[in-house]
Amino acid sequence: MKIHTQWLAAGVMLAASQAVFSQNQAPALPTQRVSLSASATVQVPQDELTLTLSTQREGSNAPEVQNQLKSALDAALGLARRQAQSPLMSVSTGRFGLSPRHDRNGKLVGWQGTAELVLQGRDFVRISQTAAQLQTLSVASVVFGLSAQQSQEAQAQAQSQAIAQFQKSASEIAKSFGFGGYTLGEIQVNANQPGPVRPYMMAASVRSVADEAAPVPLEAGLSQVSVNVSGSVQLK
């Protein structure tokens, strides 16, 4: 009988502790919660240019090909560095390497190599004129983009517009359901910057028929910066 009483008491204590635990559990999420999203996109002029110049050499002797590449790159670097001025134009080297050439039987027949020089900055005229003067290299690619400052300013503008649209939508939804307002729940803000929406122009050759250097014709386009705001609101 004594043992039975102890088990009964333990059962009462367990039931009581379960009741306390149940009371301390987090309340159920409110039912008047609405999920929504809003986005905004701004177009801004591309203000940064990356122009890559390159040269290729071939030969039967690897050190000879490497020296030819080095000479061509050194000559271009010497001239480009005199025009460099950050953030108007910076100068850096790109790819530099050799690879073997084999015949159809797998026999080594020679070596080929590539050297690159990269001009980057906001002064399109300076970059174009400098590229035209580099006689040992040719233009390989032209890429327009946004500087860090331009990108941040565009993102801030798009973010303000997206947040305003989110708030407007939340207010309209609350009113439509007969509520006086809302409180914010969890919110996510995501930025996206796609590629150019307008193509650029590039000359087929960077030098005129006469030996006089001619600037590379360039035309920057526009970039789109988008921001999406998504989350939930509690109607009240």
Side-chain angles (χ1 to χ4, degrees):
M1 186 68 179
K2 183 178 179 181
I3 295 176
H4 177 72
T5 303
Q6 290 176 340
W7 277 103
L8 181 60
V12 172
M13 292 178 61
L14 178 59
S17 63
Q18 289 177 338
V20 173
F21 176 78
S22 177
Q23 292 175 356
N24 290 334
Q25 283 183 321
L29 291 175
T31 56
Q32 295 85 12
R33 187 179 296 273
V34 178
S35 298
L36 67 155
S37 65
S39 61
T41 300
V42 297
Q43 289 188 350
V44 288
Q46 298 163 336
D47 66 335
E48 188 169 80
L49 168 64
T50 301
L51 194 152
T52 302
L53 302 101
S54 69
T55 186
Q56 294 183 341
R57 296 289 189 276
E58 295 183 1
S60 59
N61 184 275
E64 181 180 343
V65 174
Q66 180 173 299
N67 288 335
Q68 291 176 359
L69 291 172
K70 184 177 181 300
S71 296
L73 187 59
D74 285 343
L77 267 174
L79 192 152
R81 282 171 175 164
R82 291 197 292 270
Q83 305 296 329
Q85 182 181 349
S86 182
L88 301 180
M89 188 186 82
S90 63
V91 180
S92 63
T93 55
R95 291 186 305 159
F96 187 102
L98 301 177
S99 59
R101 292 191 298 111
H102 299 86
D103 61 17
R104 64 181 59 187
N105 297 318
K107 180 181 177 180
L108 179 66
V109 295
W111 296 84
Q112 59 185 7
T114 301
E116 290 183 344
L117 182 67
V118 181
L119 308 179
Q120 184 175 33
R122 301 183 186 179
D123 191 338
F124 296 175
V125 174
R126 180 188 295 257
I127 294 174
S128 173
Q129 291 177 345
T130 301
Q133 296 170 8
L134 304 183
Q135 302 293 319
T136 58
L137 302 177
S138 299
V139 174
S141 67
V142 178
V143 178
F144 291 98
L146 300 181
S147 64
Q149 178 182 351
Q150 185 88 315
S151 180
Q152 290 172 1
E153 292 176 354
Q155 184 174 326
Q157 182 181 354
Q159 180 175 293
S160 297
Q161 295 178 6
I163 291 175
Q165 182 60 43
F166 184 95
Q167 293 172 329
K168 180 182 178 181
S169 297
S171 297
E172 292 175 349
I173 291 173
K175 183 179 179 181
S176 297
F177 280 105
F179 290 86
Y182 65 91
T183 56
L184 291 175
E186 182 179 355
I187 303 296
Q188 294 182 341
V189 179
N190 298 306
N192 179 39
Q193 182 183 322
V197 298
R198 190 155 60 90
Y200 56 82
M201 296 173 56
M202 174 179 162
S205 174
V206 299
R207 282 178 278 278
S208 60
V209 178
D211 249 348
E212 185 178 349
V216 181
L218 300 170
E219 181 183 355
L222 301 173
S223 282
Q224 290 183 335
V225 178
S226 301
V227 173
N228 178 264
V229 179
S230 60
S232 62
V233 296
Q234 175 64 36
L235 304 181
K236 65 175 185 178

